Amino acid sequence: MGAYVVALQAITTREALKFLNQRSRFLAALVRPLVWLVVFAAGFRAALGLSIIPPYQTYITYEVYIVPGLCGMIQLFNGMQSSLSLVYDREMGSMRLLLTSPLPRWWLLFSKLLASTLVSILQVAVFLVVAFLFGIKMPPLGYGLVLPALVLSGLMLGALGLLISSTISQLENFAGVMNFVIFPMFFLSSALYPLWKMAESSSLLRDICALNPFTHAVELIRFSLYGQFNGMALVWVCGAFAVFFAGALIGYDPARGMIRGKG
Protein backbone atom coordinates (compact mmCIF):
# COMPACT_ATOMS: atom_id res chain seq x y z
CA MET A 1 0.00 0.00 0.00
CA GLY A 2 2.96 2.30 0.57
CA ALA A 3 3.79 2.34 -3.14
CA TYR A 4 0.17 3.12 -4.01
CA VAL A 5 0.12 6.06 -1.62
CA VAL A 6 3.45 7.39 -2.89
CA ALA A 7 2.20 7.25 -6.49
CA LEU A 8 -1.01 9.03 -5.56
CA GLN A 9 0.90 11.69 -3.64
CA ALA A 10 3.38 12.24 -6.48
CA ILE A 11 0.69 12.57 -9.15
CA THR A 12 -1.45 14.85 -6.97
CA THR A 13 1.53 17.06 -6.14
CA ARG A 14 2.44 17.31 -9.82
CA GLU A 15 -1.10 18.34 -10.76
CA ALA A 16 -1.25 20.87 -7.93
CA LEU A 17 2.08 22.46 -8.90
CA LYS A 18 1.05 22.55 -12.54
CA PHE A 19 -2.19 24.27 -11.58
CA LEU A 20 -0.43 26.82 -9.37
CA ASN A 21 2.00 27.64 -12.17
CA GLN A 22 -0.85 28.19 -14.63
CA ARG A 23 -2.59 31.21 -13.14
CA SER A 24 -4.34 31.94 -16.41
CA ARG A 25 -6.06 28.55 -16.14
CA PHE A 26 -7.37 29.46 -12.69
CA LEU A 27 -8.60 32.86 -13.87
CA ALA A 28 -10.26 31.35 -16.94
CA ALA A 29 -12.02 28.81 -14.72
CA LEU A 30 -13.55 31.69 -12.75
CA VAL A 31 -14.23 34.10 -15.62
CA ARG A 32 -16.49 31.71 -17.53
CA PRO A 33 -19.03 31.08 -14.76
CA LEU A 34 -18.84 34.66 -13.50
CA VAL A 35 -19.77 35.98 -16.95
CA TRP A 36 -22.86 33.78 -16.87
CA LEU A 37 -23.63 34.74 -13.29
CA VAL A 38 -23.22 38.49 -13.65
CA VAL A 39 -24.03 39.23 -17.28
CA PHE A 40 -26.32 36.56 -18.69
CA ALA A 41 -28.29 35.99 -15.49
CA ALA A 42 -29.16 39.68 -15.35
CA GLY A 43 -30.64 39.49 -18.83
CA PHE A 44 -32.50 36.22 -18.28
CA ARG A 45 -33.91 37.15 -14.88
CA ALA A 46 -36.97 38.93 -16.25
CA ALA A 47 -37.48 36.58 -19.20
CA LEU A 48 -37.24 33.28 -17.35
CA GLY A 49 -39.63 32.65 -14.48
CA LEU A 50 -38.94 29.71 -12.23
CA SER A 51 -41.65 27.88 -10.34
CA ILE A 52 -41.18 26.14 -7.01
CA ILE A 53 -39.43 22.89 -7.87
CA PRO A 54 -37.33 20.57 -5.69
CA PRO A 55 -35.01 21.20 -3.95
CA TYR A 56 -36.26 24.78 -3.63
CA GLN A 57 -38.96 25.58 -1.10
CA THR A 58 -39.85 28.99 -2.54
CA TYR A 59 -39.49 31.04 -5.71
CA ILE A 60 -35.89 31.76 -6.63
CA THR A 61 -34.10 34.16 -8.92
CA TYR A 62 -32.33 32.93 -12.02
CA GLU A 63 -28.92 33.65 -10.48
CA VAL A 64 -29.65 31.24 -7.64
CA TYR A 65 -30.83 28.55 -10.06
CA ILE A 66 -27.74 28.54 -12.28
CA VAL A 67 -25.11 28.42 -9.51
CA PRO A 68 -25.09 24.56 -9.35
CA GLY A 69 -24.90 24.42 -13.15
CA LEU A 70 -21.95 26.80 -13.15
CA CYS A 71 -20.23 24.63 -10.54
CA GLY A 72 -20.71 21.74 -12.95
CA MET A 73 -19.36 23.90 -15.78
CA ILE A 74 -16.15 24.47 -13.84
CA GLN A 75 -15.70 20.74 -13.33
CA LEU A 76 -16.55 19.96 -16.94
CA PHE A 77 -13.98 22.37 -18.32
CA ASN A 78 -11.40 21.26 -15.77
CA GLY A 79 -11.92 17.62 -16.75
CA MET A 80 -11.35 18.46 -20.39
CA GLN A 81 -8.34 20.64 -19.55
CA SER A 82 -6.81 17.84 -17.53
CA SER A 83 -7.30 15.37 -20.36
CA LEU A 84 -5.64 17.86 -22.70
CA SER A 85 -2.54 17.66 -20.52
CA LEU A 86 -2.66 13.87 -20.90
CA VAL A 87 -2.49 14.20 -24.68
CA TYR A 88 0.47 16.58 -24.29
CA ASP A 89 2.20 14.23 -21.84
CA ARG A 90 1.72 11.36 -24.27
CA GLU A 91 3.31 13.33 -27.11
CA MET A 92 6.24 14.27 -24.86
CA GLY A 93 6.65 10.67 -23.67
CA SER A 94 6.03 11.28 -19.95
CA MET A 95 2.66 9.54 -20.09
CA ARG A 96 4.23 6.41 -21.51
CA LEU A 97 6.83 6.52 -18.75
CA LEU A 98 4.10 6.79 -16.13
CA LEU A 99 2.14 3.86 -17.52
CA THR A 100 5.24 1.62 -17.46
CA SER A 101 5.22 1.82 -13.67
CA PRO A 102 4.89 -1.59 -11.95
CA LEU A 103 1.73 -0.32 -10.26
CA PRO A 104 -1.61 -1.27 -11.86
CA ARG A 105 -2.67 0.92 -14.74
CA TRP A 106 -6.10 1.52 -13.19
CA TRP A 107 -4.52 2.99 -10.06
CA LEU A 108 -2.26 5.34 -12.01
CA LEU A 109 -5.17 6.62 -14.09
CA PHE A 110 -7.42 6.89 -11.04
CA SER A 111 -4.71 8.86 -9.23
CA LYS A 112 -4.53 11.25 -12.17
CA LEU A 113 -8.31 11.48 -12.12
CA LEU A 114 -8.50 12.12 -8.39
CA ALA A 115 -5.82 14.83 -8.58
CA SER A 116 -7.77 16.59 -11.33
CA THR A 117 -10.96 16.35 -9.27
CA LEU A 118 -9.30 17.95 -6.24
CA VAL A 119 -8.17 20.86 -8.43
CA SER A 120 -11.72 21.32 -9.75
CA ILE A 121 -13.14 21.30 -6.21
CA LEU A 122 -10.73 24.09 -5.27
CA GLN A 123 -11.96 26.11 -8.26
CA VAL A 124 -15.61 25.50 -7.33
CA ALA A 125 -14.94 26.55 -3.73
CA VAL A 126 -13.49 29.87 -4.87
CA PHE A 127 -16.45 30.39 -7.21
CA LEU A 128 -18.94 29.77 -4.40
CA VAL A 129 -17.12 32.32 -2.26
CA VAL A 130 -17.33 34.88 -5.07
CA ALA A 131 -21.03 34.07 -5.59
CA PHE A 132 -21.56 34.57 -1.85
CA LEU A 133 -19.95 38.01 -2.12
CA PHE A 134 -22.42 38.79 -4.90
CA GLY A 135 -25.25 37.98 -2.49
CA ILE A 136 -26.05 34.49 -3.77
CA LYS A 137 -26.11 32.45 -0.60
CA MET A 138 -26.83 28.77 -0.05
CA PRO A 139 -27.88 27.10 3.21
CA PRO A 140 -24.79 27.01 5.48
CA LEU A 141 -24.98 23.22 5.85
CA GLY A 142 -25.07 22.85 2.07
CA TYR A 143 -21.53 24.13 1.66
CA GLY A 144 -20.30 21.07 3.53
CA LEU A 145 -22.77 18.54 2.16
CA VAL A 146 -21.93 19.44 -1.44
CA LEU A 147 -18.37 18.13 -1.10
CA PRO A 148 -19.20 14.43 -1.76
CA ALA A 149 -21.33 15.47 -4.74
CA LEU A 150 -18.43 17.51 -6.13
CA VAL A 151 -16.09 14.56 -5.72
CA LEU A 152 -18.43 12.19 -7.59
CA SER A 153 -19.30 14.65 -10.36
CA GLY A 154 -15.62 15.61 -10.74
CA LEU A 155 -14.61 11.96 -11.05
CA MET A 156 -17.34 11.31 -13.61
CA LEU A 157 -16.47 14.32 -15.79
CA GLY A 158 -12.75 13.68 -15.42
CA ALA A 159 -13.26 10.06 -16.49
CA LEU A 160 -15.06 11.33 -19.58
CA GLY A 161 -12.08 13.53 -20.40
CA LEU A 162 -9.78 10.58 -19.79
CA LEU A 163 -11.79 8.47 -22.21
CA ILE A 164 -11.72 11.20 -24.85
CA SER A 165 -7.96 11.69 -24.47
CA SER A 166 -7.41 7.99 -25.19
CA THR A 167 -8.97 8.45 -28.64
CA ILE A 168 -6.95 11.53 -29.65
CA SER A 169 -3.75 10.93 -31.55
CA GLN A 170 -2.55 14.54 -31.86
CA LEU A 171 -2.79 17.59 -29.65
CA GLU A 172 -4.11 19.70 -32.54
CA ASN A 173 -7.23 17.54 -32.82
CA PHE A 174 -8.23 17.93 -29.21
CA ALA A 175 -9.77 21.42 -29.39
CA GLY A 176 -12.26 20.35 -32.05
CA VAL A 177 -13.28 17.25 -30.14
CA MET A 178 -13.76 19.31 -26.97
CA ASN A 179 -16.20 21.60 -28.75
CA PHE A 180 -18.27 18.59 -29.81
CA VAL A 181 -18.40 17.37 -26.21
CA ILE A 182 -18.38 20.36 -23.85
CA PHE A 183 -20.96 22.62 -25.45
CA PRO A 184 -23.62 19.95 -26.24
CA MET A 185 -23.22 18.50 -22.73
CA PHE A 186 -23.52 21.91 -21.11
CA PHE A 187 -26.38 23.38 -23.12
CA LEU A 188 -28.37 20.13 -23.36
CA SER A 189 -28.66 19.87 -19.59
CA SER A 190 -30.47 21.40 -16.65
CA ALA A 191 -27.52 23.70 -15.91
CA LEU A 192 -29.17 26.79 -17.41
CA TYR A 193 -32.84 25.81 -17.65
CA PRO A 194 -35.02 23.35 -15.73
CA LEU A 195 -36.20 20.31 -17.64
CA TRP A 196 -39.84 21.43 -17.53
CA LYS A 197 -38.80 24.52 -19.48
CA MET A 198 -37.17 22.27 -22.07
CA ALA A 199 -40.38 20.21 -22.29
CA GLU A 200 -42.36 23.35 -23.17
CA SER A 201 -40.21 23.70 -26.27
CA SER A 202 -39.76 20.06 -27.25
CA SER A 203 -40.40 16.78 -25.47
CA LEU A 204 -37.57 15.21 -27.49
CA LEU A 205 -35.18 17.92 -26.32
CA ARG A 206 -36.28 17.32 -22.75
CA ASP A 207 -35.63 13.56 -23.10
CA ILE A 208 -32.16 14.21 -24.50
CA CYS A 209 -31.39 16.48 -21.55
CA ALA A 210 -32.68 13.83 -19.14
CA LEU A 211 -30.29 11.27 -20.64
CA ASN A 212 -27.31 13.60 -20.41
CA PRO A 213 -24.99 12.50 -17.54
CA PHE A 214 -24.03 16.14 -16.99
CA THR A 215 -27.66 16.93 -16.12
CA HIS A 216 -27.53 14.43 -13.28
CA ALA A 217 -24.16 15.74 -12.10
CA VAL A 218 -25.68 19.23 -11.89
CA GLU A 219 -28.77 17.95 -10.08
CA LEU A 220 -26.63 16.01 -7.61
CA ILE A 221 -24.76 19.24 -6.82
CA ARG A 222 -28.00 21.25 -6.69
CA PHE A 223 -29.75 18.95 -4.22
CA SER A 224 -26.63 18.59 -2.07
CA LEU A 225 -26.29 22.37 -1.77
CA TYR A 226 -29.76 22.37 -0.20
CA GLY A 227 -29.13 19.39 2.05
CA GLN A 228 -31.30 16.99 0.07
CA PHE A 229 -30.56 13.57 -1.41
CA ASN A 230 -31.19 12.79 -5.07
CA GLY A 231 -30.92 9.04 -5.50
CA MET A 232 -31.57 9.00 -9.23
CA ALA A 233 -28.82 11.55 -9.89
CA LEU A 234 -26.42 9.56 -7.70
CA VAL A 235 -27.09 6.34 -9.63
CA TRP A 236 -26.63 8.10 -12.97
CA VAL A 237 -23.37 9.79 -11.95
CA CYS A 238 -21.87 6.61 -10.48
CA GLY A 239 -22.98 4.55 -13.48
CA ALA A 240 -21.58 7.06 -15.97
CA PHE A 241 -18.29 7.19 -14.05
CA ALA A 242 -18.01 3.38 -14.17
CA VAL A 243 -18.66 3.32 -17.93
CA PHE A 244 -16.32 6.22 -18.75
CA PHE A 245 -13.50 4.95 -16.54
CA ALA A 246 -13.80 1.40 -17.89
CA GLY A 247 -13.63 2.81 -21.42
CA ALA A 248 -10.56 4.86 -20.48
CA LEU A 249 -8.84 1.77 -19.06
CA ILE A 250 -9.45 -0.06 -22.32
CA GLY A 251 -8.33 2.97 -24.32
CA TYR A 252 -5.07 3.24 -22.41
CA ASP A 253 -4.32 -0.48 -22.63
CA PRO A 254 -1.60 -0.80 -25.32
CA ALA A 255 -2.59 -4.41 -25.98
CA ARG A 256 -6.16 -3.71 -27.04
CA GLY A 257 -7.02 -0.04 -26.59
CA MET A 258 -7.21 2.93 -28.89
CA ILE A 259 -3.95 4.25 -27.50
CA ARG A 260 -2.09 1.51 -29.32
CA GLY A 261 0.46 2.94 -31.71
CA LYS A 262 0.04 6.54 -30.49
CA GLY A 263 3.06 6.56 -28.19
Side-chain angles (χ1 to χ4, degrees), residues 95-123:
M95 187 64 186
R96 179 169 53 186
L97 181 63
L98 174 66
L99 294 179
T100 56
S101 166
L103 291 174
R105 187 180 304 271
W106 70 266
W107 177 254
L108 297 172
L109 292 177
F110 181 76
S111 298
K112 176 76 174 176
L113 193 56
L114 185 60
S116 171
T117 300
L118 294 177
V119 170
S120 74
I121 292 175
L122 175 61
Q123 294 172 339

Side-chain angles (χ1 to χ4, degrees), residues 64-147:
V64 173
Y65 176 82
I66 64 172
V67 164
L70 297 180
C71 292
M73 172 201 276
I74 293 174
Q75 293 197 302
L76 177 61
F77 274 86
N78 182 79
M80 297 301 112
Q81 187 74 22
S82 178
S83 59
L84 172 63
S85 69
L86 282 174
V87 178
Y88 177 82
D89 289 345
R90 192 171 68 231
E91 286 194 349
M92 297 297 103
S94 56
M95 187 64 186
R96 179 169 53 186
L97 181 63
L98 174 66
L99 294 179
T100 56
S101 166
L103 291 174
R105 187 180 304 271
W106 70 266
W107 177 254
L108 297 172
L109 292 177
F110 181 76
S111 298
K112 176 76 174 176
L113 193 56
L114 185 60
S116 171
T117 300
L118 294 177
V119 170
S120 74
I121 292 175
L122 175 61
Q123 294 172 339
V124 170
V126 174
F127 168 71
L128 288 175
V129 170
V130 175
F132 182 87
L133 296 177
F134 274 99
I136 304 174
K137 303 175 183 179
M138 306 296 163
L141 188 61
Y143 289 107
L145 294 176
V146 76
L147 181 59

Side-chain angles (χ1 to χ4, degrees), residues 11-12 16 23 40 55 57-58 64 68 70 83 95 144 147 155 157 165 170 198 207 241 244 246-247 252:
I11 294 173
T12 303
R23 297 181 182 178
F40 287 90
Q57 303 298 323
T58 182
V64 173
L70 297 180
S83 59
M95 187 64 186
L147 181 59
L155 288 174
L157 295 171
S165 69
Q170 294 181 336
M198 293 287 190
D207 293 340
F241 165 70
F244 294 152
Y252 274 96

Side-chain angles (χ1 to χ4, degrees), residues 5-237:
V5 174
V6 169
L8 175 61
Q9 182 180 9
I11 294 173
T12 303
T13 302
R14 182 175 183 267
E15 284 296 309
L17 292 175
K18 185 190 300 184
F19 175 71
L20 292 175
N21 291 329
Q22 296 175 342
R23 297 181 182 178
S24 59
R25 175 182 170 186
F26 179 70
L27 292 176
L30 288 180
V31 168
R32 278 188 294 262
L34 286 177
V35 167
W36 278 99
L37 187 65
V38 177
V39 180
F40 287 90
F44 283 128
R45 183 191 300 173
L48 183 63
L50 295 175
S51 62
I52 302 176
I53 55 175
Y56 307 109
Q57 303 298 323
T58 182
Y59 290 99
I60 57 171
T61 62
Y62 185 63
E63 296 97 312
V64 173
Y65 176 82
I66 64 172
V67 164
L70 297 180
C71 292
M73 172 201 276
I74 293 174
Q75 293 197 302
L76 177 61
F77 274 86
N78 182 79
M80 297 301 112
Q81 187 74 22
S82 178
S83 59
L84 172 63
S85 69
L86 282 174
V87 178
Y88 177 82
D89 289 345
R90 192 171 68 231
E91 286 194 349
M92 297 297 103
S94 56
M95 187 64 186
R96 179 169 53 186
L97 181 63
L98 174 66
L99 294 179
T100 56
S101 166
L103 291 174
R105 187 180 304 271
W106 70 266
W107 177 254
L108 297 172
L109 292 177
F110 181 76
S111 298
K112 176 76 174 176
L113 193 56
L114 185 60
S116 171
T117 300
L118 294 177
V119 170
S120 74
I121 292 175
L122 175 61
Q123 294 172 339
V124 170
V126 174
F127 168 71
L128 288 175
V129 170
V130 175
F132 182 87
L133 296 177
F134 274 99
I136 304 174
K137 303 175 183 179
M138 306 296 163
L141 188 61
Y143 289 107
L145 294 176
V146 76
L147 181 59
L150 291 174
V151 172
L152 290 174
S153 59
L155 288 174
M156 187 267 285
L157 295 171
L160 174 61
L162 201 65
L163 174 60
I164 294 173
S165 69
S166 70
T167 68
I168 305 300
S169 58
Q170 294 181 336
L171 192 63
E172 294 79 7
N173 299 334
F174 194 82
V177 174
M178 282 179 62
N179 289 334
F180 282 104
V181 174
I182 289 180
F183 293 111
M185 284 195 75
F186 180 67
F187 288 109
L188 292 175
S189 73
S190 62
L192 300 179
Y193 324 100
L195 293 185
W196 66 265
K197 272 289 184 184
M198 293 287 190
E200 289 181 354
S201 172
S202 167
S203 58
L204 175 61
L205 192 60
R206 187 266 177 201
D207 293 340
I208 293 174
C209 294
L211 293 173
N212 183 356
F214 184 69
T215 290
H216 299 282
V218 170
E219 293 306 306
L220 187 63
I221 296 172
R222 189 189 311 281
F223 276 73
S224 297
L225 279 171
Y226 287 85
Q228 297 186 34
F229 177 71
N230 190 325
M232 180 62 70
L234 178 63
V235 170
W236 268 87
V237 170

